[in-house]
Amino acid sequence: MTDENEERASNTTALTGHVQDVLHRVRAFDTRHPAVWNVLLTGVWVVSAVLDFTSGGWRTVAVNPHAPEPVVLMMCLAFSVPLLWRRTHPLAVLTFMLPFSLVNVWTGAVVQAAYFQQIVVLNIALRQPVRALAWAAALTTAPLVVGSLRFPHGWDLLFVPHVWAFALAALVGIAFRTRREYTAALVDRAHRLERERDQQARLAAAAERTRIAREMHDIIGHNLSVITGLADGGAYAAAKNPDRAAQALEAIGTTSRQALTELRRLLGVLRDHPAEAERTPQPTLDDLDALLTDVRAAGLPVRLRVRGTPPPTAATAGRQLTVYRVVQESLTNTLKHGGPEPSLTAEITLIYRPTELEVLITDTGTPVNGPAGEPGRGTGQGITGMRERASLYDGTLEAGPRRPGTASPAGWWVRLRLPLEDTPS
């Protein structure tokens, strides 16, 4: 029994698929060649109306079977030929048929071709506003009322069947129109979802490119700045202290290898399969000491101070990476733009408060650049990247020159504030 049910279901599915395929082909042909399809269908209806006249079939349902035959033929053609314009001007077609409908019921011929008016009604329900159906109802039922008054004994043949036909045509047209609009809405929604998906993918790709560019900028920029500082110091020491020059060259090699390793690892994530890419933990606050050691080796004295007690909520990996990269970028800018002053120093202060972590980086380098006194360190990608990192955790970053005064020397400062709540935007 189960096999029989499965076979019956399979046959039904195959038949349904075949019918759907045929309907799809018909609709496709109609879309490509609407004029051809209109002419073909109109020709079928004209032939059927003429055959009804020539065979005398109209007399079997006529209230007055002795109606003049030329008038009957004229009405058959008047109800069928205008169907050629049923799609483009349906209300005009019904208006054209109105006088012939009056003649049809007045003579009592009641030709079968009068039902072709319901084809026009179907097209009105499919394509015209709902109020157009009210006009169609008036144009089709007014002659029926006249015929029922002229032939009271034949109202059941004149009025009732045509009213039922009108209602059926209108309901079928509304049902098809609703289904078509619903399908169109689904297709439009699918297209909008597809566009939104593509847009989200592009936005995600752009965000990932920005993140990768920011990481590469921080890694390469910092290490190259350290290498430059070591090279300058080694060149200065080469003439007076060869041992110090050899140490500088060794440090340059170590820093270069570290930079290449980090760069290969970052590019490997992009090139390799995610499961095969080599990964290491991102830098944290514990790695600040190693960072400061490299910076000191490059010739920049750095001091680290911590105020307050680090709460547990401040130890998220994202915040620690943000602090590390901001400190790294700030010290890199100091090495690149701080100037050749022998008194160049930097200081990092971590301030833990109940609701936020504040990081203050200051140096005693050159604060301005150019004769106009414009800031010389806030126009590149470094400051922008630091602000983007801070905004990921609803933090803020400020940077600017330190003006020389009685209590503080000239230089540059960077202030990072991060909320302690783990609610990245």
Side-chain angles (χ1 to χ4, degrees), residues 298-310:
L300 175 63
V302 183
R303 183 173 62 172
L304 174 64
R305 295 193 301 175
V306 179
R307 298 178 182 175
T309 303

Side-chain angles (χ1 to χ4, degrees), residues 59-75:
R59 289 190 174 91
T60 60
V61 294
V63 178
N64 178 19
H66 303 292
E69 290 188 354
V71 176
V72 174
L73 178 60
M74 177 188 64
M75 290 186 296

Side-chain angles (χ1 to χ4, degrees), residues 226-252 297-299:
V226 172
I227 291 172
T228 302
L230 291 170
D232 291 340
Y236 177 78
K240 298 182 179 182
N241 192 341
D243 293 337
R244 295 293 301 274
Q247 293 176 3
L249 291 175
E250 183 179 354
I252 289 174

Side-chain angles (χ1 to χ4, degrees), residues 13-56:
T13 303
L15 178 61
T16 304
H18 181 69
V19 172
Q20 291 291 336
D21 183 65
V22 171
L23 292 177
H24 177 73
R25 292 176 181 272
V26 170
R27 285 194 294 267
F29 179 82
D30 183 25
T31 303
R32 292 193 304 268
H33 311 286
V36 175
W37 189 248
N38 281 344
V39 171
L40 289 176
L41 285 182
T42 304
V44 171
W45 292 323
V46 170
V47 170
S48 63
V50 172
L51 287 177
D52 181 61
F53 166 75
T54 57
S55 64

